[in-house]
Amino acid sequence: MLDAGYWMLLSPSCKSAIRNLKSKISPGRRPLRAGGRNRTMALIVQKYGGTSVADLDRIQKVAERLIRVYSAGNDVVVVLSAMAGETDRLIQLAHQITNDPNRRELDVLVATGEQTTVSLLCIMLESMGCPATSLLGHQAEILTNRAFGRARIVGIHATRIKELLSQRKIVVVAGFQGRDQQGNITTLGRGGSDTSAVAIAAALNADVCEIYTDVDGVYTADPNLCKKAKKIEKICYDEMLEMASLGAKVLQIRAVEFAKKFNVPVHVRSSFQEEEGTMVVKEEVDMERLAVSGVTYTKDEARITLSRVPDKPGIASTIFTAIGEAGIVVDMIIQNTRKGGLTDLTFTVSKSNFPKAMAIQNEVAESIGAEQVIGDEHIAKVSVIGVGMRSHSGVAAKTFAVLAKENINIIMISTSEIKISCIIEEKYTELAVQVLHHAFGLDSP
Ligand code: ADP
Ligand code: ASP
Ligand code: MG
């Protein structure tokens, strides 16, 4: 059960979403607390992104909000990002020394961004009379594998967090970071504080994980690009997972995976206003079933084509083994057959991996006798997403027709049962998002 003060702030649909989820997770797992407090309290995890802690004024606003929630009797764990722009600044500093900084040391460096904000918030809270303790990733026992720069959380012991909560402290944890088995500092990939927050909420069996950011919820498209985008009141984990994977950076993909796996209700909302945001929850029978519920884009794509490749067994394996061994993730792949026992093979990688992938493919092309390797960094991927697609036909045809009407050429296509993605020229990204958003009836009136 949630604290009455906090509960009152929520709309009926939010309440029902949380109730629904909570009834499915071990009921009654959090007994009424002793210690003079006469109401059932909530355990709330709140995460604040970079813009929410960009300077001391904003950190003070965060502290004020926390004190309100804490004073109402709730237990509060806070997860913070670095100040806006700080992680980029630190990465650039390292790149001024070398193009390929040591990845272990880069993690030690970028983790300092979050160390700054957690300590500042605790100093702020203490100065306002509220007991608070900061914990870095390793102190909060966030255990990860050893993949520096993109580590995955493998466990959270949370004993220290629980101990501090039992002393009625606000616990402020540095997001984005953990430690591997040897004690090395690791980071979880860009946007990783979302994942820290949801994983901590899962480990603590928290009532809700609130993600405070610079928009007031999850929208049908990026509200900063599509002015007619509408706020979504409630979205299921699978749809959110597709949106996050296909470019909606409002939540990191791994955060949604954790939320889905451990049934954590996630509330995405604004740190600048009180209005409710979007609940990310398990799919419910009564959820609205539009064919398309969102349109996303990502410009972080680059395309590589190996042309006139001998069409024989083992060629694809040679090409993609070389890429895989370099730790590069391939997104889309298409193969076109030509006459004369030749074929063209095209695939996409992220822009940051493009130079390395091109170098590898130039070597591979020579070894397999391909005619040439062509690269293109000026592409983007637009996607239409919706669980309703499972029961609506014609979404793909309509997507292609809408793009054709604007003379936007589709370079590659990939589909799943709940999404259709098209690679197009980068310069058409905004237009494509806007016309698809309109065509699928998502524009706000
Ligand atoms: P934070 O620093 O708080 O983690 P991010 O910049 O990572 O914030 O994520 C918030 C941003 O996500 C928004 O400013 C918005 O531009 C972008 N965004 C992309 N797609 C969406 C979407 N569908 N709904 C809401 N925001 C989106
Ligand atoms: N500070 C990290 C980043 O900029 C993590 C985060 O903000 O979630 O990616
Ligand atoms: Mg983020």
Side-chain angles (χ1 to χ4, degrees):
M1 267 285 267
L2 286 167
D3 150 65
Y6 178 77
W7 196 238
M8 268 168 54
L9 298 173
L10 301 175
S11 73
S13 79
C14 251
K15 286 176 187 164
S16 90
I18 293 180
R19 265 197 215 105
N20 252 331
L21 262 167
K22 294 288 121 184
S23 65
K24 287 175 188 123
I25 316 166
S26 53
R29 82 217 133 83
R30 283 168 48 73
L32 273 169
R33 295 294 182 83
R37 277 165 282 146
N38 57 1
R39 77 161 87 105
T40 308
M41 299 181 306
L43 170 53
I44 299 167
V45 175
Q46 297 192 344
K47 177 257 168 176
Y48 292 88
T51 40
S52 312
V53 290
D55 54 38
L56 290 182
D57 282 347
R58 290 193 177 168
I59 291 178
Q60 187 178 340
K61 292 272 176 318
V62 169
E64 285 163 5
R65 185 189 289 270
L66 288 169
I67 289 173
R68 279 202 306 278
V69 178
Y70 169 85
S71 308
N74 301 297
D75 285 340
V76 189
V77 178
V78 191
V79 176
L80 294 188
S81 293
M83 289 178 170
E86 178 64 1
T87 310
D88 289 336
R89 189 186 72 86
L90 293 167
I91 292 171
Q92 271 162 24
L93 265 183
H95 279 89
Q96 280 174 30
I97 305 172
T98 163
N99 278 338
D100 193 15
N102 178 295
R103 287 197 278 172
R104 178 187 182 279
E105 300 311 325
L106 191 60
D107 273 4
V108 175
L109 175 68
V110 293
T112 61
E114 275 70 13
Q115 180 160 352
T116 306
T117 49
V118 292
S119 50
L120 284 174
L121 178 62
C122 286
I123 292 168
M124 185 72 80
L125 283 164
E126 290 276 341
S127 76
M128 293 162 85
C130 182
T133 302
S134 68
L135 294 178
L136 300 179
H138 69 93
Q139 295 169 318
E141 297 170 280
I142 297 174
L143 310 175
T144 73
N145 65 12
R146 210 179 173 192
F148 297 117
R150 53 186 165 87
R152 292 172 86 92
I153 295 176
V154 293
I156 297 182
H157 291 321
T159 34
R160 188 102 181 258
I161 300 181
K162 287 180 188 161
E163 203 179 290
L164 290 165
L165 286 175
S166 71
Q167 295 163 13
R168 274 301 279 160
K169 301 238 183 166
I170 292 186
V171 187
V172 185
V173 182
F176 179 52
Q177 55 179 263
R179 72 155 172 89
D180 72 3
Q181 249 184 348
Q182 285 81 42
N184 296 300
I185 293 174
T186 54
T187 64
L188 311 179
R190 299 309 303 269
S193 305
D194 297 334
T195 303
S196 312
V198 178
I200 289 171
L204 295 173
N205 206 359
D207 293 281
V208 64
C209 178
E210 298 183 320
I211 304 286
Y212 286 89
T213 183
D214 59 359
V215 285
D216 61 353
V218 179
Y219 277 70
T220 48
D222 183 346
N224 288 319
L225 178 128
C226 183
K227 295 293 167 219
K228 292 188 172 165
K230 275 187 298 205
K231 191 161 93 182
I232 303 171
E233 201 180 312
K234 215 178 350 173
I235 184 168
C236 70
Y237 294 127
D238 285 335
E239 253 169 352
M240 193 62 235
L241 209 49
E242 288 290 356
M243 287 191 68
S245 319
L246 296 168
K249 66 166 182 165
V250 63
L251 281 179
Q252 204 203 31
I253 307 163
R254 292 279 297 142
V256 191
E257 283 171 0
F258 263 108
K260 180 179 173 185
K261 187 164 175 194
F262 297 102
N263 261 336
V264 180
V266 175
H267 189 177
V268 179
R269 56 193 311 190
S270 166
S271 60
F272 307 116
Q273 59 191 59
E274 294 303 320
E275 207 182 305
E276 256 168 51
T278 301
M279 288 304 302
V280 187
V281 291
K282 200 169 172 162
E283 194 174 347
E284 290 162 18
V285 194
D286 66 342
M287 267 185 169
E288 209 180 348
R289 286 281 183 280
L290 289 174
V292 172
S293 51
V295 181
T296 59
Y297 73 95
T298 171
K299 295 184 179 180
D300 187 20
E301 294 269 339
R303 169 171 70 124
I304 297 176
T305 301
L306 280 92
S307 74
R308 302 177 74 84
V309 179
D311 193 6
K312 59 181 190 201
I315 291 293
S317 157
T318 309
I319 293 170
F320 293 110
T321 302
I323 288 281
E325 277 170 359
I328 297 174
V329 178
V330 169
D331 183 13
M332 289 190 195
I333 302 174
I334 52 167
Q335 184 173 347
N336 309 322
T337 310
R338 284 175 178 248
K339 282 187 186 150
L342 294 174
T343 181
D344 291 343
L345 216 141
T346 303
F347 61 92
T348 61
V349 295
S350 70
K351 276 201 170 84
S352 60
N353 281 325
F354 179 67
K356 201 167 169 184
M358 276 298 279
I360 293 169
Q361 288 312 315
N362 278 319
E363 278 177 28
V364 169
E366 231 182 274
S367 74
I368 60 175
E371 191 180 278
Q372 64 176 143
V373 183
I374 307 157
D376 181 2
E377 277 188 280
H378 304 289
I379 58 165
K381 181 165 69 177
V382 289
S383 308
V384 295
I385 295 155
V387 290
M389 261 182 229
R390 291 185 192 130
S391 52
H392 286 74
S393 59
V395 177
K398 184 165 173 178
T399 302
F400 307 150
V402 168
L403 295 177
K405 194 165 166 240
E406 299 298 327
N407 240 338
I408 300 173
N409 188 37
I410 300 170
I411 302 167
M412 296 169 89
I413 297 167
S414 92
T415 62
S416 79
E417 62 167 355
I418 65 167
K419 72 113 201 279
I420 292 153
S421 298
C422 299
I423 296 283
I424 59 169
E425 276 184 76
E426 188 176 345
K427 64 181 178 191
Y428 293 123
T429 313
E430 285 77 4
L431 176 64
V433 170
Q434 283 159 6
V435 292
L436 289 168
H437 195 268
H438 176 75
F440 284 103
L442 299 174
D443 280 1
S444 61

